[in-house]
Amino acid sequence: MERALQIGEVAAHSGLAASAIRYYESLDILPAPERSASGYRWYTGEDVDLLRFVARLRALEFPLADVREIVALRRDGKAPCAAVRSTLSREAAAIESRIKDLRRLAIELRSLEERARDLPDDWPTVCVCDVLESPKQATR
C-alpha cells in the first residue's frame, strides 16, 4: 500500500494551494479522499497526478465544466480525447476572437491618445478628457 499524503504534501507535489485542492474536491473533480480517525484528509499518488493534470488544464484556461467532464471520462475509464480536442478548438477560437477585439481596442486607444496629445488642459473649456466623452467633437 502506498503512503497516504496529507493535504500540505499534496499541495507541495501538485503546485496547487490546499484551498484549491479542497475546492476541486467540492466540485467532484477530485474524488473525496479517505479520512483519518481525526478527520484529516489522506490522499494518494494518483490524486497528486490527477491534480497536476487538472492544474495543467486550468493553466490552459479550460473552463471548470470541461475539466469536470474530462476528469469524469478518465475516472470512468473512457478516453477523454474528443472532449479535450473540442475544448482546445473552442478555447483557441475564443482567444483568437479576444485578440482581435483587443487589437481593435488598442487602435482606438492610440487614436484617442493622438487626438488628445495636443489638447490643452484648459478645463472646463477644453480638456483631454473631452476625447473620452465625445471623441468626434474634441478638436485641437
Side-chain angles (χ1 to χ4, degrees):
M1 179 178 165
E2 70 181 295
R3 183 174 84 78
L5 304 169
Q6 291 185 341
I7 197 164
E9 294 171 296
V10 174
H13 291 300
S14 68
L16 294 170
S19 60
I21 294 167
R22 287 188 293 271
Y23 180 64
Y24 291 140
E25 183 184 329
S26 76
L27 296 176
D28 198 32
I29 291 172
L30 177 67
E34 291 192 29
R35 298 230 181 206
S36 69
S38 57
Y40 287 102
R41 291 170 165 88
W42 291 113
Y43 297 93
T44 66
E46 288 180 9
D47 293 326
V48 172
D49 292 341
L50 175 60
L51 287 167
R52 284 182 183 146
F53 179 70
V54 168
R56 176 68 175 141
L57 295 178
R58 295 297 292 145
L60 292 169
E61 298 193 16
F62 274 45
L64 283 171
D66 293 301
V67 172
R68 186 181 302 119
E69 176 188 2
I70 291 164
V71 168
L73 288 167
R74 284 177 54 151
R75 191 178 297 147
D76 293 342
K78 298 176 185 169
C81 304
V84 170
R85 276 192 296 272
S86 174
T87 303
L88 288 169
S89 177
R90 185 184 67 244
E91 294 305 310
I95 289 170
E96 288 164 353
S97 176
R98 181 73 176 133
I99 289 169
K100 286 179 188 175
D101 291 344
L102 289 170
R103 285 190 176 126
R104 281 192 291 269
L105 179 58
I107 290 168
E108 181 179 0
L109 291 172
R110 291 295 178 207
S111 173
L112 290 170
E113 175 190 33
E114 185 177 313
R115 291 172 54 202
R117 187 172 297 134
D118 296 326
L119 288 177
D121 289 330
D122 187 20
W123 186 83
T125 310
V126 176
C127 179
V128 169
C129 299
D130 291 343
V131 297
L132 300 176
E133 292 178 16
S134 57
K136 301 282 189 235
Q137 295 175 5
T139 58
R140 296 178 189 219

